[in-house]
Amino acid sequence: MSEKFKNHRGVITAAITFFVIELAIVLFRYHAYYHTDTSFDLGIFNQVFWNGHQGRFFQSSLSSSLSVSVETPFVSYHRLGQHFTPALVLWLPIYSLIPYAPMLLFLNVTLITVAGIVLYILARQRLEPNLATWITISYYCANAVIGPTLGHFQDFCQFPLFTFGIFLALEKRLWWWFGICAVLIVAIREEAAVVLFSIGFYLILSKRYPWLGLGVCLASLVYAIVVTTYIMPLFSHDVSSRFLIEEFGQFVEGNKTSSLDVLWGILTNPWRLFLELLTPFSPTLTYIMGQFLPLGFISLISGATWMLIAFPLLTILLRQSEWALSLDLRYSLTLVPGIFYGGILWWFYHPQAQKNRFFKRFWAVCLSLSLILTLTSSPNDALAFIIPNSFQPWVYFSPIQQWNHARIIEKLIAQIPNDASVSASPDIVPHLSSRREILRAPNVDLINDAGQKIWLDYMIIDFRKNQRFQVISSGDRRILAKDVPTVEAFLEKNEYGLIGYQDGVILLKRATPSDPILLSQWQAFRQQL
């Protein structure tokens, strides 16, 4: 065995293990049609990619249904009005090989895994192989990495790769590559400019390249303002009338705002800013400790780390969303590169600490604890086939139960033509989203490419999962209370007919008589609800 392979063996093993396990779990959950909060998002991204594969870039009828600027969803709606994500075009050639949602799951896991390899290369610029390996393994064991990867595809999965890339360019002084990575970072999403701004902030305060840092700060600030104020409103007004209000409405007044208004509101309300940063205290502290745990908290005492994550962390702490402080969700990925690069820099400037055997043992304990806490929390319910969703009350469905129920859904899906328009429940949407006309059930009216308002041909809804989870989820209770009467009204008015039913899953077809036997079975299930 060559010496070179021995040096890299730990990293290669960790990367392969991470990739295989994560991909196996997300693919199992996908094919098991397992209920998750982000299933609908996977459907949106898949339809965006599928339309891009067809030459209709960034269009999505699913995104249209979420827009505040749209009364009736339409197929040619451009998602760029909600999130400016031009970097997604980079992956279209790969997606085109298999233009379905599982390819996005593969891409999601691959990008996160490859980012770990780039991190190792980055660490080797300053550290010896063993320490660089420890840092890379810590990356693969971090809750902030495992959790989001076990979710569905998100544009944030590009952050670690591009940001580690820009740090590597900085180390090698490859300024042309630094510029490319900077462009790629801001192309991920409109708020990605905050990450780049923090990098510029670090370059200024650390005095490494202050003039470059100043240019990066100015460029990222101008980019964010131009994109959110002038470019995104060309497609829809969601960023000003919805997203900024939902996330940072405590700093502005009215039902419409801009990124400049939010920035001014933050700067002119220091007391509110202080309170938002500290509250809620316990979740905030838990979130920060969880981010630093995999590296043995070493980045916590690294000044470079705090410069690199200052502004992404600020935006996370100021968000009003109750899930913003979750290590399992996408925003946590924006902090990961800065925390790990800050750790690399700390170890480089404190070589004597590498001889401290006590700390190495402490680091190993932290690393193990991070992995254990992550897995036992079942991030994004990805391990629900092992860990119950709830212990009190008891809610658990075995892999066999999940798999058998999934086969029922697939049997009903097989009755829907590939070119038919369809309305589906969130967990089924990703499987049907490689098509032009699709909405979330029970929405049925849509404007097609001809500009005509139509009702969708088919509707498929899985009420069994809502029934199972209603004892622990208010969201599922609301769905049952709202959607079941809507379906009943469609059937009573003969607007849709029941042509398929089994185990709480219904398949309706427009302007078609209901099957009497299936209808009686549905009504029996309806009484249970």
Side-chain angles (χ1 to χ4, degrees):
M1 185 180 296
S2 68
E3 188 66 27
K4 187 174 182 179
F5 178 78
K6 286 182 180 180
N7 290 338
H8 305 331
R9 182 170 54 187
V11 170
I12 294 173
T13 301
I16 293 175
T17 302
F18 177 88
F19 177 82
V20 171
I21 293 177
E22 293 261 348
L23 185 61
I25 292 175
V26 296
L27 287 179
F28 172 81
R29 184 176 59 183
Y30 173 82
H31 289 292
Y33 292 78
Y34 195 72
H35 178 96
T36 64
D37 293 334
T38 56
S39 295
F40 187 69
D41 287 345
L42 177 60
I44 290 176
F45 279 107
N46 184 61
Q47 192 186 35
V48 168
F49 270 90
W50 185 84
N51 274 321
H53 167 62
Q54 304 289 324
R56 297 182 287 257
F57 298 101
F58 300 104
Q59 294 184 16
S60 171
S61 60
L62 292 169
S63 286
S64 178
S65 65
L66 302 177
S67 174
V68 297
S69 301
V70 175
E71 293 185 8
T72 302
F74 59 97
V75 295
S76 59
Y77 173 84
H78 286 81
R79 186 175 178 272
L80 295 176
Q82 295 177 358
H83 296 295
F84 196 73
T85 57
L88 294 181
V89 176
L90 290 173
W91 315 114
L92 268 178
I94 298 176
Y95 175 84
S96 298
L97 298 175
I98 306 177
Y100 297 97
M103 177 56 82
L104 293 185
L105 298 177
F106 170 81
L107 182 61
N108 182 65
V109 177
T110 300
L111 290 176
I112 298 292
T113 304
V114 172
I117 303 298
V118 177
L119 169 62
Y120 176 73
I121 298 172
L122 173 63
R124 287 290 292 116
Q125 304 305 305
R126 289 180 178 263
L127 307 175
E128 48 88 17
N130 184 57
L131 185 54
T133 298
W134 270 74
I135 289 173
T136 307
I137 293 176
S138 299
Y139 166 84
Y140 287 125
C141 292
N143 192 340
V145 175
I146 295 175
T149 311
L150 285 178
H152 291 301
F153 177 89
Q154 292 287 346
D155 37 28
F156 280 69
C157 69
Q158 303 165 97
F159 266 112
L161 180 60
F162 295 161
T163 312
F164 285 142
I166 201 171
F167 293 151
L168 183 58
L170 189 64
E171 289 294 323
K172 289 181 170 290
R173 299 184 182 182
L174 297 175
W175 304 121
W176 60 273
W177 183 244
F178 182 95
I180 291 174
C181 289
V183 172
L184 291 176
I185 288 173
V186 295
I188 294 175
R189 195 154 141 151
E190 64 278 2
E191 64 259 51
V194 175
V195 174
L196 192 63
F197 187 91
S198 240
I199 294 174
F201 182 70
Y202 158 74
L203 294 176
I204 295 173
L205 264 64
S206 66
K207 299 181 180 179
R208 285 184 68 177
Y209 301 102
W211 288 108
L212 174 63
L214 181 61
V216 168
C217 286
L218 290 176
S220 57
L221 181 62
V222 170
Y223 177 87
I225 293 173
V226 170
V227 166
T228 57
T229 306
Y230 300 104
I231 297 179
M232 294 177 68
L234 296 176
F235 302 98
S236 70
H237 296 288
D238 290 282
V239 68
S240 59
S241 300
R242 178 189 168 194
F243 292 108
L244 288 175
I245 295 294
E246 290 178 355
E247 300 291 351
F248 306 106
Q250 70 272 36
F251 293 102
V252 294
E253 297 180 357
N255 298 321
K256 190 174 182 180
T257 188
S258 67
S259 54
L260 281 175
D261 292 333
V262 171
L263 181 60
W264 180 250
I266 292 173
L267 295 176
T268 56
N269 289 276
W271 178 243
R272 177 175 287 276
L273 172 63
F274 177 74
L275 291 177
E276 292 289 339
L277 290 177
L278 294 182
T279 57
F281 180 76
S282 181
T284 299
L285 182 62
T286 301
Y287 177 81
I288 293 176
M289 291 298 101
Q291 285 279 12
F292 288 102
L293 177 62
L295 286 174
F297 298 106
I298 209 68
S299 289
L300 197 63
I301 57 175
S302 169
T305 295
W306 291 104
M307 298 176 209
L308 289 165
I309 70 170
F311 295 96
L313 179 60
L314 179 66
T315 58
I316 289 174
L317 297 180
L318 295 184
R319 290 182 183 275
Q320 296 188 95
S321 303
E322 60 184 26
W323 45 262
L325 293 175
S326 171
L327 289 168
D328 298 339
L329 299 182
R330 58 186 181 270
Y331 287 109
S332 61
L333 285 171
T334 61
L335 304 184
V336 168
I339 289 174
F340 277 82
Y341 186 49
I344 292 170
L345 294 174
W346 188 91
W347 280 107
F348 175 75
Y349 289 114
H350 299 82
Q352 69 282 359
Q354 299 180 30
K355 301 176 183 179
N356 190 324
R357 294 183 179 180
F358 170 78
F359 181 78
K360 284 290 184 69
R361 289 194 290 269
F362 174 73
W363 188 355
V365 170
C366 290
L367 191 57
S368 301
L369 184 60
S370 174
L371 189 58
I372 292 171
L373 291 176
T374 300
L375 296 180
T376 54
S377 69
S378 184
N380 291 297
D381 286 335
L383 302 179
F385 60 93
I386 300 175
I387 302 173
N389 295 91
S390 172
F391 288 92
Q392 185 63 36
W394 180 263
V395 179
Y396 173 69
F397 305 100
S398 70
I400 295 177
Q401 288 177 303
Q402 294 180 31
W403 202 254
N404 289 338
H405 186 72
R407 304 294 73 77
I408 292 171
I409 296 175
E410 288 188 344
K411 180 180 177 181
L412 295 176
I413 285 180
Q415 300 181 47
I416 303 175
N418 292 332
D419 59 348
S421 58
V422 61
S423 176
S425 53
D427 47 318
I428 301 178
V429 161
H431 299 260
L432 293 168
S433 55
S434 293
R435 66 186 67 222
R436 186 69 169 158
E437 300 170 343
I438 181 173
L439 293 174
R440 176 175 181 166
N443 300 314
V444 293
D445 52 338
L446 179 72
I447 297 176
N448 61 17
D449 281 310
Q452 300 173 333
K453 187 174 181 178
I454 63 169
W455 276 36
L456 302 181
D457 300 326
Y458 291 85
M459 182 187 303
I460 181 168
I461 306 179
D462 180 7
F463 283 122
R464 172 66 75 189
K465 289 182 179 176
N466 301 128
Q467 180 198 35
R468 288 171 172 172
F469 285 96
Q470 64 178 327
V471 294
I472 60 173
S473 170
S474 59
D476 287 286
R477 292 194 292 272
R478 286 194 298 269
I479 289 175
L480 290 175
K482 178 183 177 182
D483 293 357
V484 171
T486 301
V487 169
E488 288 284 299
F490 285 140
L491 293 173
E492 290 176 3
K493 296 177 183 179
N494 296 318
E495 294 167 330
Y496 282 87
L498 187 65
I499 64 170
Y501 171 80
Q502 190 175 352
D503 194 28
V505 186
I506 62 172
L507 175 63
L508 309 179
K509 186 176 182 181
R510 173 76 171 147
T512 300
S514 295
D515 183 302
I517 297 177
L518 296 177
L519 191 59
S520 64
Q521 294 175 354
W522 155 251
Q523 290 172 345
F525 176 75
R526 172 72 176 85
Q527 294 304 314
Q528 299 176 26
L529 300 179

